[in-house]
Amino acid sequence: ATQARRQPGSTFKLFVYLAALEEGWEPEDPISNQPIEQGSYRPGNSGGRYSDFITLEDAFAQSSNVAAVRLLGEVGSDRVIEVAQDFGITAPMPEGDPSLALGTTTVTLLQLTAAYGGVAANRFPVQPRALPVEEHGWLGRLWDWLFNRPDSLSSYEHGAIEQMLRAAVNRGTGRAAVLQAANSGKTGTTQDNRDALFVGYSGDLVV
């Protein structure tokens, strides 16, 4: 969890969609969900499920690979990398690689979960710690406020990404994770299910 680097698979799509929201896209906006038939990289959707168009929310919930790759092309890999780094991902991420949208870079599970924790709290980056941090005095708090303030999403961006994370659980690939309490999250798998992940949160618990 703390050292081994694994491919996050579609859990990485979080950063693609966050970048799109910051660029002005909305969950109801359509994007092509047809097979990619040009270029050397031609990912497919699980189960061969395609359609002419799909909304961003449905594409996220159903984990459409072709929609995520197209969205990466629309917002630019450099912007997606910047968003991932804002949320604490430090692993090398190649620019211009369309497979980045599908989580082919490698991260630790702790870092990936902390990034989702940043969405849950809308304060990022989250720095995971094994022990509570000693409270600062007023001077330390002032210093942190001036120079170490965490970032946050706008209320619209945060509401929109949580809407899509809930859709993934309520009616998408994360349905097995539904709880009686409201919860949000995203699945991610790699080839042949070598890695199969779910990262999500409910209340103040992130797993």
Side-chain angles (χ1 to χ4, degrees), residues 5 11 33 42 47 57-58 69 84 88 96 111 115-116 177 193 196 202 207:
R5 293 187 175 273
T11 59
N33 193 39
R42 301 185 182 185
E57 180 177 328
D58 286 341
V69 170
Q111 200 170 83
Y116 274 72
N193 284 339
S202 180
V207 297

Side-chain angles (χ1 to χ4, degrees), residues 194-205:
R194 184 170 187 267
D195 292 289
L197 306 174
F198 176 83
V199 187
Y201 56 89
S202 180
D204 61 357
L205 183 65

Side-chain angles (χ1 to χ4, degrees), residues 15 18-20 22-23 72 75-86 95:
F15 309 114
L18 279 171
E22 291 184 358
E23 292 293 318
L72 177 81
V75 301
S77 61
D78 56 339
R79 184 68 194 114
V80 172
I81 290 170
E82 185 178 344
V83 170
Q85 290 172 338
D86 287 345
E95 289 189 20

Side-chain angles (χ1 to χ4, degrees), residues 5-8 12 77 81 84-85 88-95 97 99-100 103-108 111:
R5 293 187 175 273
R6 312 295 294 181
Q7 289 187 344
F12 191 87
S77 61
I81 290 170
Q85 290 172 338
I89 302 297
T90 60
M93 292 173 279
E95 289 189 20
D97 184 354
S99 72
L100 178 69
T104 54
T105 191
T106 57
V107 300
T108 66
Q111 200 170 83

